[in-house]
Amino acid sequence: MIIDTTLLSRAQFGFTIGFHILFPTLNIGLALFLSIMEGLWLKTGKPVYLKICQFWTKIFALTFGMGVVSGIVLAYELGTNFGPFIHIAGGVLGALFAYEVLSAFFLEAGFLGVMLFGWDKVSPKLHYTATLLVMLGTTISAFWILAANSWMQTPAGFHVEAGKYVVDNWWAVIFNPSMLPSFFHMLMASYLTTCFAVAGVSAWYLLKQQHIELAKTCFSFALGAAIILAPVQILLGDMVGLKVQKYQPLKTAAIEANWQTQKGAPLILFAIPDVKHAKNLYEISIPKLASLINTHHWDGTLIGLKSVPAKDRPVIESTFWMFRVMVGIGLLFFLVALIALWLTIRGRLFHYRSFYRFCVAIAPLGFLSTIAGWVTTESGRQPWIAYHLIRTSQGASTVPMHQVVISLILLVTVYGIVFSFYLFYLFKVIRKGPAPLPHESITDVITESPFKYMAPEVK
């Protein structure tokens, strides 16, 4: 592999966005979780739901700050490392990023203060409205980012004028062929990741015999939600796969490590792709299953990687392996949710410490699955930065290699330090746990003082 400025710029951007995606993934799911918990508290008056909101809001705030800080860098990197691409495609992508800031970030930032600090300053209904608007903001933010990314996968709604992309139809740009499946697939990934993060923290409390009521409520809710979300995610993944097969068949070929164009292509469970000799080593496969999955026909035709020159092929190794990491974790989550359902039906969900330990162990895997999915999406698009429009090498800036190396080293160092502090405070919040609340009804709380029983440190 030849290391050049373009490859280093890709590595730098990949590292930065891989770091950044950890935080919106959790916040998208936590925003919905908090909205549900606060709604349940307002409806039932049970203090446990208020304790859940109080506790997880702290983690949401900490994660939100990290997301904002790490996301700002991405905009600068696009300009410095991929200036020619932005010059050409800025008329399309610039507006989508601006819409994200105007419609989503301002909404989140505007009501986050009320959500965090308005417990004893505004009415319960107004506070709940703020929580709902923050949730809406996180969802809208994901919508615009996925609109921009999916346009790079399946460009639509534009024409070329004087070497630049000019929009003909904003509806076609935003709702390009891969947008909606990708958007909902990302939302489900965030929700599932959050389910198992919440379940993992709750399982840790159950192992420690701490905050039992809160832990049981969160544990059962998170795994109950997972049994619904996991099958939906599998269905959405199938929809995304059909779009990829239709519009980016070489990405499908890289995912399946399929070298020859063929009907009834086998599903390769395991192999070591040999890119140099264009073949697979130690292959274990199931006949015709890849064609069935990707075309919904046993004898469907899958294009092979050899149908194009080597320079036009995706990054095969990372696309092949990361896809399997993503799918493997998704299937594991589905299996754990099924086990939880079985234990719940038998009335034994809270009887097995070994199950608690397992849930703690797999709690971070959702983040790994999300990153693996993004790597599959992006490496499978190569060598194009906008599919079949402009190559990554043409869209990269011409800057001295040492500058990219220095900036990459600095980013890794600074992000490592910042992430260490994030983890330190995150684990500190988890170890401390929620503050105790008196078991009083919602009527008493609202009558005496709205949200009176929030912990002092939140006020």
Side-chain angles (χ1 to χ4, degrees):
M1 179 184 294
I2 299 175
I3 298 178
D4 56 12
T5 303
T6 299
L7 182 61
L8 287 173
S9 294
R10 283 172 53 197
Q12 178 176 307
F13 192 82
F15 169 78
T16 310
I17 198 169
F19 181 85
H20 169 71
I21 200 175
L22 298 171
F23 309 108
T25 297
L26 182 58
N27 268 1
I28 290 170
L30 276 184
L32 178 60
F33 176 70
L34 288 170
S35 297
I36 294 172
M37 291 296 109
E38 189 170 347
L40 288 172
W41 178 68
L42 289 174
K43 183 166 182 64
T44 66
K46 293 183 178 180
V48 64
Y49 294 122
L50 181 57
K51 290 176 66 177
I52 291 170
C53 291
Q54 166 198 336
F55 173 66
W56 284 101
T57 297
K58 297 176 185 178
I59 295 177
F60 179 90
L62 181 63
T63 307
F64 182 85
M66 288 292 295
V68 171
V69 171
S70 60
I72 292 174
V73 179
L74 294 170
Y76 289 103
E77 281 187 342
L78 282 174
T80 57
N81 292 26
F82 297 95
F85 173 62
I86 295 302
H87 177 74
I88 295 171
V92 178
L93 297 180
L96 297 179
F97 293 144
Y99 295 154
E100 191 265 338
V101 173
L102 293 174
S103 64
F105 181 73
F106 284 175
L107 188 63
E108 293 174 272
F111 288 93
L112 182 64
V114 178
M115 178 180 166
L116 296 181
F117 306 113
W119 294 101
D120 57 353
K121 296 178 176 63
V122 298
S123 69
K125 290 184 178 180
L126 181 56
H127 187 276
Y128 185 48
T129 300
T131 302
L132 292 175
L133 289 173
V134 170
M135 179 199 68
L136 179 63
T138 61
T139 306
I140 293 174
S141 179
F143 176 88
W144 289 115
I145 296 301
L146 265 296
N149 182 267
S150 60
W151 183 87
M152 295 166 65
Q153 309 288 338
T154 53
F158 72 101
H159 71 274
V160 181
E161 185 176 309
K164 296 183 179 181
Y165 304 147
V166 179
V167 174
D168 292 323
N169 185 333
W170 276 111
W171 187 267
V173 168
I174 296 169
F175 295 99
N176 59 79
S178 64
M179 193 277 164
L180 286 179
S182 298
F183 169 61
F184 288 113
H185 190 55
M186 182 62 199
L187 282 186
M188 288 303 111
S190 299
Y191 296 156
L192 264 178
T193 297
T194 304
C195 280
F196 283 91
V198 170
V201 173
S202 303
W204 187 79
Y205 285 144
L206 292 171
L207 284 170
K208 298 291 184 180
Q209 292 293 298
Q210 298 174 351
H211 317 295
I212 300 299
E213 186 182 14
L214 177 142
K216 284 187 174 182
T217 302
C218 290
F219 191 68
S220 59
F221 177 86
L223 293 178
I227 195 62
I228 299 171
L229 296 173
V232 173
Q233 179 69 321
I234 293 171
L235 177 62
L236 288 169
D238 179 65
M239 295 172 62
V240 172
L242 292 175
K243 291 294 184 182
V244 170
Q245 165 61 15
K246 181 177 180 179
Y247 293 98
Q248 298 175 295
L250 284 175
K251 182 187 288 187
T252 301
I255 287 171
E256 303 295 345
N258 180 40
W259 297 95
Q260 301 287 351
T261 299
Q262 57 184 310
K263 294 183 178 181
L267 175 66
I268 298 175
L269 299 177
F270 176 84
I272 299 178
D274 184 349
V275 176
K276 183 177 180 181
H277 299 98
K279 64 179 183 179
N280 295 327
L281 305 176
Y282 311 109
E283 181 178 306
I284 302 174
S285 60
I286 301 175
K288 296 193 175 186
L289 194 53
S291 286
L292 179 64
I293 292 173
N294 290 286
T295 69
H296 287 189
H297 296 286
W298 284 107
D299 293 316
T301 301
L302 295 187
I303 292 177
L305 292 163
K306 288 185 178 180
S307 63
V308 297
K311 63 183 180 64
D312 293 331
R313 297 171 189 166
V315 185
I316 298 164
E317 299 96 325
S318 59
T319 306
F320 177 81
W321 286 113
M322 289 298 100
F323 178 79
R324 277 148 184 78
V325 170
M326 176 188 68
V327 172
I329 293 173
L331 292 176
L332 174 63
F333 281 175
F334 186 34
L335 176 61
V336 173
L338 286 174
I339 293 172
L341 176 62
W342 178 67
L343 292 174
T344 300
I345 292 173
R346 296 183 62 216
R348 301 186 65 83
L349 181 62
F350 303 107
H351 286 67
Y352 297 100
R353 292 177 63 83
S354 58
F355 187 61
Y356 297 158
R357 294 189 185 95
F358 188 70
C359 288
V360 172
I362 67 172
L365 291 186
F367 301 99
L368 176 59
S369 180
T370 302
I371 292 176
W374 274 91
V375 171
T376 301
T377 301
E378 299 308 297
S379 63
R381 190 185 64 220
Q382 298 301 319
W384 307 96
I385 193 168
Y387 202 67
H388 282 173
L389 291 180
I390 177 173
R391 288 178 175 269
T392 305
S393 57
Q394 296 171 326
S397 301
T398 304
V399 294
M401 183 180 293
H402 72 274
Q403 293 184 7
V404 184
V405 172
I406 292 172
S407 61
L408 177 57
I409 293 173
L410 287 174
L411 276 172
V412 172
T413 303
V414 173
Y415 275 26
I417 295 171
V418 172
F419 192 57
S420 297
F421 279 104
Y422 169 78
L423 290 178
F424 172 79
Y425 285 106
L426 175 65
F427 293 145
K428 183 178 180 180
V429 170
I430 293 172
R431 283 194 301 269
K432 184 178 180 181
L437 291 173
H439 289 272
E440 298 192 34
S441 68
I442 188 172
T443 304
D444 295 330
V445 175
I446 295 176
T447 300
E448 294 186 34
S449 173
F451 297 78
K452 169 184 175 182
Y453 297 110
M454 291 307 299
E457 61 267 27
V458 178
K459 291 185 180 181

